[in-house]
């Protein structure tokens, strides 16, 4: 079992930056591929960024490429999403997810999910 707890969300102005974090517990987190998803009101939960078990491979949604960076620190069992040049359309609840498979999936086929953290970008 893996427990995921997000933190770091909040209110930020457009063009600002924010870093959200995901603390994990349970089995060694290096055994899991991790990802961030977002869900805006009335919309489906969609893939934002993913990172391989060792952190050497990343994948991003086209909408965040060049602005967001996913990283992980397996020694601390942490996953991060650094969000720069934020836009109002980035407003959503951001969820951390983990899966035991090796591939970074852009679908919602992750076994473990956090409770989410709200990110609001004002114009």
């Amino acid at each position: 079992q893996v427990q995921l707890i997000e933190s770091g969300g909040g209110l930020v102005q457009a063009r600002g930056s924010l870093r959200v974090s995901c603390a994990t517990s349970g089995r060694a987190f290096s055994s899991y591929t991790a990802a961030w998803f977002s869900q805006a009101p009335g919309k489906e939960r969609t893939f934002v960024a993913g990172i391989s078990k060792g952190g050497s491979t990343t994948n991003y949604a086209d909408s965040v490429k060049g602005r967001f960076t996913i990283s992980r620190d397996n020694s601390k069992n942490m996953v991060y999403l650094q969000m720069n040049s934020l836009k109002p359309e980035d407003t959503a609840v951001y969820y951390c997810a983990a899966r035991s498979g090796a591939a970074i999936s852009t679908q919602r086929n992750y076994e473990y999910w956090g409770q989410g953290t709200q990110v609001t970008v004002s114009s």
Side-chain angles (χ1 to χ4, degrees), residues 62-104:
D62 287 343
S63 61
V64 306
K65 282 181 181 176
R67 300 190 299 123
F68 290 11
T69 303
I70 188 171
S71 61
R72 66 191 298 164
D73 185 340
N74 286 338
S75 68
K76 297 180 179 179
N77 288 346
M78 296 290 294
V79 181
Y80 306 100
L81 184 67
Q82 177 67 43
M83 302 182 288
N84 298 329
S85 302
L86 282 160
K87 305 175 181 180
E89 50 264 43
D90 294 320
T91 294
V93 176
Y94 284 75
Y95 295 90
C96 180
R99 65 192 300 264
S100 54
I104 299 172

Side-chain angles (χ1 to χ4, degrees), residues 12-13 15-19 82-86:
V12 62
Q13 290 187 331
R15 297 179 296 280
S17 297
L18 199 65
R19 187 179 81 161
Q82 177 67 43
M83 302 182 288
N84 298 329
S85 302
L86 282 160

